[in-house]
Amino acid sequence: QVQLVESGGGLVQPGGSLTLSCAASGISFSDYTLAWYRQAPGKQRELVAVVVPGDYTDYADSVKGRFTISRDVIKDMVYLQMNSLKFEDTAVYYCNAKWAAIGAAYWGQGTQVTVSS
């Protein structure tokens, strides 16, 4: 019943911008740590950005200053604003919601981001 659905991926030129969205059904984001991960071909899945209750955020060094994670607990949405995109940002991006205290963790299906000229 719980579902996370990412959207907003696509093809973008180097230096361009893209905003990813993740919508939840079956849970409320208010008590969850929310994160974006990505996985490029032949590479491990890596944490890109995280936001916790209280809206503290943190980012991978490779995206600091370029990406911004934000959440809307009323709409149960989490976003990833990506600016100054580089070829190495090409990956499938996944939304994650986790509430460790109750043993709950959920993943979206992923959305493809391709940075190409």
Side-chain angles (χ1 to χ4, degrees), residues 7-72:
S7 62
L11 178 65
V12 64
Q13 293 183 334
S17 297
L18 207 60
T19 299
L20 305 182
S21 300
C22 175
S25 61
I27 61 169
S28 172
F29 275 165
S30 62
D31 293 317
Y32 284 78
T33 294
L34 307 172
W36 287 95
Y37 289 76
R38 68 185 181 188
Q39 187 166 22
K43 286 193 166 185
Q44 295 182 8
R45 186 173 298 188
E46 63 175 345
L47 178 65
V48 175
V50 60
V51 58
V52 302
D55 288 330
Y56 172 83
T57 60
D58 200 12
Y59 302 88
D61 288 341
S62 60
V63 307
K64 283 182 179 177
R66 300 189 298 120
F67 290 11
T68 302
I69 187 171
S70 62
R71 66 176 188 148
D72 185 335

Side-chain angles (χ1 to χ4, degrees), residues 73-115:
V73 297
I74 302 301
K75 297 180 179 179
D76 286 324
M77 298 282 290
V78 61
Y79 307 94
L80 185 67
Q81 174 66 49
M82 304 183 292
N83 299 320
S84 302
L85 284 161
K86 305 174 180 179
F87 291 117
E88 51 264 43
D89 295 318
T90 295
V92 177
Y93 285 71
Y94 297 90
C95 178
N96 173 265
K98 184 176 181 179
W99 190 359
I102 63 170
Y106 305 98
W107 290 92
Q109 84 288 349
T111 185
Q112 176 72 48
V113 173
T114 302
V115 184

